[in-house]
Amino acid sequence: MILARIVALGLYTLSTLTYAAPWQFVKSEDGIVIDKRPHSEGLVEIRAKMQTPTSYSGFLLLLEDSDNVPNWIDNVSASQVLMQISETENIVYTQFKAPWPARNRDMVTYSQYSVEDGQFVLSIKDASNYLAKESGYIRIYDVDALWTLQPLTNGNTYITYTAYANAGGILPNWLMNKLSIGSALSTFKGLKEQLPKYQGQQHPHLPSESR
């Protein structure tokens, strides 16, 4: 299963700060809201959220469709499972194409999903030690991200993605932060567009939902 690519949401991920600063609104577009807050080393943590009609199965089936990844996750060129630890856990390798003059990036992540108290949760952590650095790529590290999905009474599902990552290299922080915000928005637009294709199907490792 291709899970953590998602992560991908480009170059960003969940903060593990002892003190978390308040979220700051960045922009709202096409029903998608993007927030940010300071993280370490001058970088920011990104939060993207929206309401859209999807089942948990539809969402997970989209994430696992490796051939479709470049069509919705911003800047992703390829992704593959390096190791399936269990039905809900994977080690995933993802490559990103970067605009000139930046160099292409890659990342290795551990992902695990579950349904807790009726809420779908997918966590993504850095797992760079599973694969040596690839020639021609700068390794993204300190990856820490979280997807949560919760059903609403209006028939929609509330999707939240919170993410922080260090893209590495010599790009200035202001540029990496700008790219992270743009990547999150682009990815959520792609997610919203692709999700309808995966509805009406039941994922074998998720409970049935009453929608």
Side-chain angles (χ1 to χ4, degrees), residues 112-138:
Q112 181 179 32
Y113 71 85
S114 63
V115 177
E116 305 170 2
D117 298 324
Q119 178 176 264
F120 178 91
V121 178
L122 170 65
S123 62
I124 301 164
K125 304 288 185 180
D126 185 89
S128 295
N129 57 309
Y130 277 85
L131 183 70
K133 290 185 178 180
E134 294 285 332
S135 175
Y137 289 86
I138 294 178

mmCIF file of all heavy atoms in Angstrom, residues 112-138:
data_model
loop_
_atom_site.group_PDB
_atom_site.id
_atom_site.type_symbol
_atom_site.label_atom_id
_atom_site.label_comp_id
_atom_site.label_asym_id
_atom_site.label_seq_id
_atom_site.Cartn_x
_atom_site.Cartn_y
_atom_site.Cartn_z
ATOM 1 N N GLN A 112 1.354 4.860 9.455
ATOM 2 C CA GLN A 112 0.439 3.941 10.124
ATOM 3 C C GLN A 112 -0.938 4.590 10.206
ATOM 4 O O GLN A 112 -1.049 5.771 10.543
ATOM 5 C CB GLN A 112 0.927 3.598 11.534
ATOM 6 C CG GLN A 112 0.023 2.611 12.271
ATOM 7 C CD GLN A 112 0.550 2.269 13.649
ATOM 8 O OE1 GLN A 112 1.176 3.099 14.317
ATOM 9 N NE2 GLN A 112 0.304 1.048 14.093
ATOM 10 N N TYR A 113 -1.979 3.813 9.883
ATOM 11 C CA TYR A 113 -3.329 4.363 9.969
ATOM 12 C C TYR A 113 -4.199 3.526 10.891
ATOM 13 O O TYR A 113 -3.926 2.344 11.154
ATOM 14 C CB TYR A 113 -3.975 4.469 8.586
ATOM 15 C CG TYR A 113 -4.352 3.159 7.939
ATOM 16 C CD1 TYR A 113 -5.577 2.548 8.213
ATOM 17 C CD2 TYR A 113 -3.497 2.536 7.024
ATOM 18 C CE1 TYR A 113 -5.929 1.345 7.604
ATOM 19 C CE2 TYR A 113 -3.846 1.347 6.422
ATOM 20 C CZ TYR A 113 -5.060 0.752 6.712
ATOM 21 O OH TYR A 113 -5.403 -0.440 6.118
ATOM 22 N N SER A 114 -5.275 4.156 11.385
ATOM 23 C CA SER A 114 -6.231 3.478 12.247
ATOM 24 C C SER A 114 -7.529 4.264 12.249
ATOM 25 O O SER A 114 -7.584 5.413 11.787
ATOM 26 C CB SER A 114 -5.690 3.361 13.679
ATOM 27 O OG SER A 114 -5.516 4.648 14.245
ATOM 28 N N VAL A 115 -8.596 3.649 12.742
ATOM 29 C CA VAL A 115 -9.858 4.333 12.976
ATOM 30 C C VAL A 115 -10.079 4.328 14.477
ATOM 31 O O VAL A 115 -10.205 3.273 15.101
ATOM 32 C CB VAL A 115 -11.026 3.652 12.244
ATOM 33 C CG1 VAL A 115 -12.337 4.353 12.571
ATOM 34 C CG2 VAL A 115 -10.796 3.656 10.739
ATOM 35 N N GLU A 116 -10.068 5.522 15.050
ATOM 36 C CA GLU A 116 -10.173 5.669 16.500
ATOM 37 C C GLU A 116 -11.370 6.536 16.846
ATOM 38 O O GLU A 116 -11.450 7.693 16.413
ATOM 39 C CB GLU A 116 -8.889 6.309 17.050
ATOM 40 C CG GLU A 116 -7.609 5.575 16.669
ATOM 41 C CD GLU A 116 -6.354 6.352 17.019
ATOM 42 O OE1 GLU A 116 -6.495 7.458 17.597
ATOM 43 O OE2 GLU A 116 -5.250 5.877 16.713
ATOM 44 N N ASP A 117 -12.318 5.974 17.607
ATOM 45 C CA ASP A 117 -13.519 6.705 18.010
ATOM 46 C C ASP A 117 -14.245 7.300 16.800
ATOM 47 O O ASP A 117 -14.716 8.443 16.833
ATOM 48 C CB ASP A 117 -13.168 7.822 19.003
ATOM 49 C CG ASP A 117 -12.558 7.277 20.295
ATOM 50 O OD1 ASP A 117 -12.993 6.201 20.732
ATOM 51 O OD2 ASP A 117 -11.653 7.929 20.831
ATOM 52 N N GLY A 118 -14.294 6.526 15.731
ATOM 53 C CA GLY A 118 -14.989 6.964 14.531
ATOM 54 C C GLY A 118 -14.209 7.902 13.639
ATOM 55 O O GLY A 118 -14.699 8.331 12.596
ATOM 56 N N GLN A 119 -12.982 8.211 13.995
ATOM 57 C CA GLN A 119 -12.147 9.133 13.229
ATOM 58 C C GLN A 119 -10.984 8.383 12.583
ATOM 59 O O GLN A 119 -10.304 7.593 13.237
ATOM 60 C CB GLN A 119 -11.613 10.230 14.148
ATOM 61 C CG GLN A 119 -10.695 11.235 13.473
ATOM 62 C CD GLN A 119 -10.281 12.358 14.401
ATOM 63 O OE1 GLN A 119 -10.864 13.426 14.406
ATOM 64 N NE2 GLN A 119 -9.256 12.127 15.207
ATOM 65 N N PHE A 120 -10.758 8.643 11.296
ATOM 66 C CA PHE A 120 -9.623 8.045 10.585
ATOM 67 C C PHE A 120 -8.377 8.872 10.867
ATOM 68 O O PHE A 120 -8.377 10.106 10.730
ATOM 69 C CB PHE A 120 -9.906 8.019 9.085
ATOM 70 C CG PHE A 120 -8.775 7.458 8.263
ATOM 71 C CD1 PHE A 120 -8.715 6.105 7.968
ATOM 72 C CD2 PHE A 120 -7.770 8.293 7.774
ATOM 73 C CE1 PHE A 120 -7.671 5.588 7.202
ATOM 74 C CE2 PHE A 120 -6.728 7.787 7.017
ATOM 75 C CZ PHE A 120 -6.678 6.429 6.735
ATOM 76 N N VAL A 121 -7.292 8.191 11.238
ATOM 77 C CA VAL A 121 -6.040 8.868 11.576
ATOM 78 C C VAL A 121 -4.891 8.184 10.843
ATOM 79 O O VAL A 121 -4.751 6.964 10.882
ATOM 80 C CB VAL A 121 -5.770 8.825 13.099
ATOM 81 C CG1 VAL A 121 -4.432 9.486 13.413
ATOM 82 C CG2 VAL A 121 -6.901 9.514 13.858
ATOM 83 N N LEU A 122 -4.069 8.969 10.178
ATOM 84 C CA LEU A 122 -2.874 8.460 9.500
ATOM 85 C C LEU A 122 -1.689 9.317 9.914
ATOM 86 O O LEU A 122 -1.667 10.524 9.678
ATOM 87 C CB LEU A 122 -3.037 8.515 7.981
ATOM 88 C CG LEU A 122 -1.779 8.243 7.148
ATOM 89 C CD1 LEU A 122 -1.303 6.819 7.352
ATOM 90 C CD2 LEU A 122 -2.037 8.510 5.676
ATOM 91 N N SER A 123 -0.716 8.700 10.550
ATOM 92 C CA SER A 123 0.480 9.430 10.970
ATOM 93 C C SER A 123 1.659 9.047 10.083
ATOM 94 O O SER A 123 1.761 7.911 9.611
ATOM 95 C CB SER A 123 0.817 9.132 12.438
ATOM 96 O OG SER A 123 1.100 7.757 12.620
ATOM 97 N N ILE A 124 2.543 10.001 9.878
ATOM 98 C CA ILE A 124 3.697 9.830 9.010
ATOM 99 C C ILE A 124 4.933 10.351 9.731
ATOM 100 O O ILE A 124 4.939 11.476 10.223
ATOM 101 C CB ILE A 124 3.506 10.591 7.679
ATOM 102 C CG1 ILE A 124 2.262 10.096 6.950
ATOM 103 C CG2 ILE A 124 4.738 10.430 6.791
ATOM 104 C CD1 ILE A 124 1.799 11.025 5.850
ATOM 105 N N LYS A 125 5.980 9.521 9.790
ATOM 106 C CA LYS A 125 7.208 9.897 10.483
ATOM 107 C C LYS A 125 8.413 9.674 9.583
ATOM 108 O O LYS A 125 8.383 8.851 8.668
ATOM 109 C CB LYS A 125 7.383 9.055 11.761
ATOM 110 C CG LYS A 125 6.219 9.122 12.739
ATOM 111 C CD LYS A 125 6.151 10.452 13.443
ATOM 112 C CE LYS A 125 5.052 10.455 14.507
ATOM 113 N NZ LYS A 125 4.975 11.752 15.210
ATOM 114 N N ASP A 126 9.475 10.380 9.878
ATOM 115 C CA ASP A 126 10.727 10.195 9.142
ATOM 116 C C ASP A 126 11.285 8.794 9.363
ATOM 117 O O ASP A 126 11.258 8.265 10.479
ATOM 118 C CB ASP A 126 11.746 11.240 9.603
ATOM 119 C CG ASP A 126 13.023 11.174 8.790
ATOM 120 O OD1 ASP A 126 13.085 11.848 7.753
ATOM 121 O OD2 ASP A 126 13.946 10.436 9.190
ATOM 122 N N ALA A 127 11.756 8.175 8.285
ATOM 123 C CA ALA A 127 12.371 6.840 8.370
ATOM 124 C C ALA A 127 13.571 6.765 7.428
ATOM 125 O O ALA A 127 13.779 5.771 6.732
ATOM 126 C CB ALA A 127 11.348 5.760 8.034
ATOM 127 N N SER A 128 14.359 7.827 7.402
ATOM 128 C CA SER A 128 15.482 7.922 6.465
ATOM 129 C C SER A 128 16.495 6.808 6.634
ATOM 130 O O SER A 128 17.224 6.463 5.688
ATOM 131 C CB SER A 128 16.175 9.279 6.628
ATOM 132 O OG SER A 128 15.309 10.334 6.254
ATOM 133 N N ASN A 129 16.565 6.212 7.830
ATOM 134 C CA ASN A 129 17.561 5.173 8.080
ATOM 135 C C ASN A 129 17.284 3.884 7.310
ATOM 136 O O ASN A 129 18.143 3.008 7.225
ATOM 137 C CB ASN A 129 17.620 4.855 9.575
ATOM 138 C CG ASN A 129 16.279 4.423 10.136
ATOM 139 O OD1 ASN A 129 15.278 5.106 9.935
ATOM 140 N ND2 ASN A 129 16.241 3.315 10.858
ATOM 141 N N TYR A 130 16.094 3.769 6.708
ATOM 142 C CA TYR A 130 15.765 2.552 5.962
ATOM 143 C C TYR A 130 16.394 2.540 4.560
ATOM 144 O O TYR A 130 16.409 1.506 3.911
ATOM 145 C CB TYR A 130 14.250 2.398 5.825
ATOM 146 C CG TYR A 130 13.595 1.776 7.021
ATOM 147 C CD1 TYR A 130 13.231 2.556 8.107
ATOM 148 C CD2 TYR A 130 13.347 0.404 7.093
ATOM 149 C CE1 TYR A 130 12.630 1.999 9.226
ATOM 150 C CE2 TYR A 130 12.754 -0.167 8.201
ATOM 151 C CZ TYR A 130 12.397 0.634 9.266
ATOM 152 O OH TYR A 130 11.816 0.082 10.369
ATOM 153 N N LEU A 131 16.886 3.662 4.092
ATOM 154 C CA LEU A 131 17.434 3.711 2.740
ATOM 155 C C LEU A 131 18.552 4.733 2.664
ATOM 156 O O LEU A 131 18.391 5.878 3.110
ATOM 157 C CB LEU A 131 16.328 4.084 1.732
ATOM 158 C CG LEU A 131 16.724 4.101 0.256
ATOM 159 C CD1 LEU A 131 16.982 2.673 -0.239
ATOM 160 C CD2 LEU A 131 15.624 4.754 -0.586
ATOM 161 N N ALA A 132 19.680 4.315 2.085
ATOM 162 C CA ALA A 132 20.803 5.234 1.904
ATOM 163 C C ALA A 132 20.406 6.342 0.945
ATOM 164 O O ALA A 132 19.511 6.187 0.118
ATOM 165 C CB ALA A 132 22.015 4.473 1.371
ATOM 166 N N LYS A 133 21.079 7.469 1.045
ATOM 167 C CA LYS A 133 20.788 8.601 0.166
ATOM 168 C C LYS A 133 21.008 8.230 -1.289
ATOM 169 O O LYS A 133 21.981 7.556 -1.631
ATOM 170 C CB LYS A 133 21.649 9.798 0.547
ATOM 171 C CG LYS A 133 21.270 10.420 1.885
ATOM 172 C CD LYS A 133 22.079 11.668 2.159
ATOM 173 C CE LYS A 133 21.669 12.307 3.472
ATOM 174 N NZ LYS A 133 22.444 13.544 3.759
ATOM 175 N N GLU A 134 20.082 8.686 -2.131
ATOM 176 C CA GLU A 134 20.157 8.407 -3.559
ATOM 177 C C GLU A 134 20.931 9.512 -4.274
ATOM 178 O O GLU A 134 20.776 10.701 -3.974
ATOM 179 C CB GLU A 134 18.744 8.315 -4.143
ATOM 180 C CG GLU A 134 17.922 7.148 -3.641
ATOM 181 C CD GLU A 134 18.360 5.829 -4.251
ATOM 182 O OE1 GLU A 134 18.884 5.847 -5.378
ATOM 183 O OE2 GLU A 134 18.183 4.786 -3.593
ATOM 184 N N SER A 135 21.741 9.136 -5.240
ATOM 185 C CA SER A 135 22.501 10.110 -6.018
ATOM 186 C C SER A 135 21.549 11.002 -6.804
ATOM 187 O O SER A 135 20.589 10.525 -7.411
ATOM 188 C CB SER A 135 23.444 9.379 -6.981
ATOM 189 O OG SER A 135 24.120 10.285 -7.820
ATOM 190 N N GLY A 136 21.820 12.284 -6.780
ATOM 191 C CA GLY A 136 21.007 13.226 -7.544
ATOM 192 C C GLY A 136 19.821 13.787 -6.780
ATOM 193 O O GLY A 136 19.088 14.612 -7.316
ATOM 194 N N TYR A 137 19.631 13.347 -5.529
ATOM 195 C CA TYR A 137 18.505 13.818 -4.721
ATOM 196 C C TYR A 137 18.985 14.359 -3.384
ATOM 197 O O TYR A 137 19.931 13.827 -2.793
ATOM 198 C CB TYR A 137 17.507 12.688 -4.458
ATOM 199 C CG TYR A 137 16.721 12.281 -5.680
ATOM 200 C CD1 TYR A 137 17.235 11.336 -6.564
ATOM 201 C CD2 TYR A 137 15.477 12.837 -5.952
ATOM 202 C CE1 TYR A 137 16.521 10.957 -7.697
ATOM 203 C CE2 TYR A 137 14.750 12.463 -7.072
ATOM 204 C CZ TYR A 137 15.282 11.519 -7.941
ATOM 205 O OH TYR A 137 14.571 11.154 -9.062
ATOM 206 N N ILE A 138 18.316 15.394 -2.911
ATOM 207 C CA ILE A 138 18.542 15.901 -1.560
ATOM 208 C C ILE A 138 17.470 15.296 -0.667
ATOM 209 O O ILE A 138 16.273 15.349 -0.990
ATOM 210 C CB ILE A 138 18.480 17.438 -1.529
ATOM 211 C CG1 ILE A 138 19.648 18.026 -2.318
ATOM 212 C CG2 ILE A 138 18.486 17.947 -0.094
ATOM 213 C CD1 ILE A 138 19.648 19.534 -2.396
#
